Amino acid sequence: MEREIWSLERMRGLFDLAGKVAIVTGGSGAFGHAAAKGLAAFGADVVITSRRLEKLETAAADIGAAGTKVLPISCDATDADSVEAMVQKTVDEFGKVDILVSAAGQANRFAAEEFPIDEWQKVMDSLVKGTYIACQAAGKRMIAQGGGKIITVGSVRGELGHPGGYSAYGTAKGAVHLLTKQLATEWAKYHINVNSIAPCIFWTPLTQQVLDDPELYKIFMQRIPWGRAADPQDFIGAAVYLASAASDFVTGDILMVDGGSTAG
Ligand SMILES: NC(=O)c1ccc[n+]([C@@H]2O[C@H](COP(=O)([O-])OP(=O)(O)OC[C@H]3O[C@@H](n4cnc5c(N)ncnc54)[C@H](O)[C@@H]3O)[C@@H](O)[C@H]2O)c1
């Protein structure tokens, strides 16, 4: 059977997010801020969250330049009640949640044989439990609404080991990748797309330790065929694509935004 291909007008609107409501956790951080700015530029109203309201308000002023609504809400991404209250506040304010970008997180590195177990657990709580809590709270609303788009943040470290002390971070990101695929399969019947953006390294407070260590810096750069770290702007296209109708049949994907790090 011959199937009609979309009109030019419909194709040109594939990335349009006007009328959509997005929540970006970690919205005052490098990744979250860039993703939120991209979603706003394509028309979405955006709720940005992290723990400190002052930092969120600075980010909100920048994101709001696109002309859509930006609401900063402080919440602790590792606390289910706090996240539930933030999602409820979003629904009270905007009536729905169409898009979740789960970008809150923190990390630390130690040699595997010395990693203090409570520090290891903090990384798991922040990245795995935090991602799951956000997906569950937003996912419930999306199920009730009849669909939505969820974007987790993975990492090259979720696919490949590294000698630099990543036994917590790499393990956590591997779990985030599988959680993404798991939710994608469970929630396909509710028309919820669940995908991950997996970056290579980019410079933020999270990676300052690497930037400060010339030997480690060299190892990292040698592993990126593109020859540079990522810039926060490198994630905007991926975030808009995975949040929009352009990716309606894409789910469970780990989209590597890594300058070729995992290509060979
Ligand atoms: N920087 C990198 O090289 C790199 C590489 C791959 C993946 N990532 C991932 O990108 C995501 C964002 O990291 P980033 O590099 O932008 O770091 P960042 O430090 O700039 O941002 C992290 C954000 O998370 C928030 N946050 C941390 N813990 C929180 C909590 N318990 N409750 C609420 N908010 C909390 C922080 O306030 C901040 O807004 C993380 O998942 C990180 O693992 C980063």
Side-chain angles (χ1 to χ4, degrees):
M1 192 180 89
E2 207 176 311
R3 303 197 64 167
E4 201 184 327
I5 302 203
W6 288 339
S7 65
L8 274 179
E9 196 189 357
R10 185 148 180 213
M11 282 193 273
R12 285 176 181 149
L14 273 180
F15 297 96
D16 185 10
L17 299 177
K20 302 290 183 189
V21 176
I23 294 175
V24 181
T25 75
S28 62
F31 184 102
H33 186 151
K37 201 166 173 178
L39 300 183
F42 280 77
D45 292 326
V46 186
V47 169
I48 53 170
T49 85
S50 71
R51 281 167 301 195
R52 286 179 41 212
L53 201 54
E54 322 84 77
K55 274 191 85 181
L56 282 173
E57 276 162 357
T58 309
D62 182 44
I63 297 160
T68 63
K69 290 185 195 144
V70 185
L71 176 65
I73 304 178
S74 117
C75 95
D76 180 350
T78 61
D79 177 336
D81 292 339
S82 176
V83 173
E84 176 58 31
M86 174 276 290
V87 174
Q88 188 54 50
K89 203 165 167 189
T90 303
V91 174
D92 293 346
E93 184 72 22
F94 295 108
K96 58 179 184 162
V97 185
D98 299 300
I99 300 158
L100 167 70
V101 180
S102 174
Q106 60 185 64
N108 53 30
R109 294 181 300 110
F110 294 93
E113 64 278 16
E114 285 162 8
F115 217 121
I117 296 302
D118 56 340
E119 292 297 322
W120 188 91
Q121 189 62 50
K122 268 189 214 161
V123 177
M124 299 303 282
D125 284 351
S126 164
L127 296 174
V128 185
K129 185 176 155 194
T131 300
Y132 188 59
I133 287 172
C135 291
Q136 191 182 56
K140 276 185 210 163
R141 270 60 176 207
M142 292 175 182
I143 289 170
Q145 285 163 207
K149 301 270 185 178
I150 294 180
I151 304 169
T152 64
V153 183
S155 170
V156 166
R157 297 277 71 76
E159 303 283 319
L160 300 172
H162 191 285
Y166 286 87
S167 55
Y169 188 76
T171 307
K173 289 301 184 180
V176 168
H177 291 185
L178 197 64
L179 175 62
T180 303
K181 292 171 193 255
Q182 176 60 30
L183 296 178
T185 56
E186 271 196 63
W187 289 350
K189 61 177 179 283
Y190 301 122
H191 300 119
I192 301 173
N193 302 70
V194 189
N195 293 292
S196 194
I197 296 174
C200 63
I201 200 156
F202 57 101
W203 308 125
T204 73
L206 208 70
T207 48
Q208 187 64 36
Q209 276 179 307
V210 176
L211 197 56
D212 289 346
D213 179 337
E215 198 48 42
L216 204 52
Y217 177 84
K218 210 168 116 197
I219 297 175
F220 266 96
M221 288 307 118
Q222 279 166 351
R223 287 173 162 227
I224 306 174
W226 214 257
R228 66 165 175 84
D231 283 326
Q233 305 60 318
D234 291 323
F235 309 118
I236 291 175
V240 172
Y241 164 64
L242 291 176
S244 70
S247 61
D248 274 353
F249 201 53
V250 177
T251 198
D253 189 39
I254 312 300
L255 178 51
M256 311 305 301
V257 182
D258 67 355
S261 306
T262 49

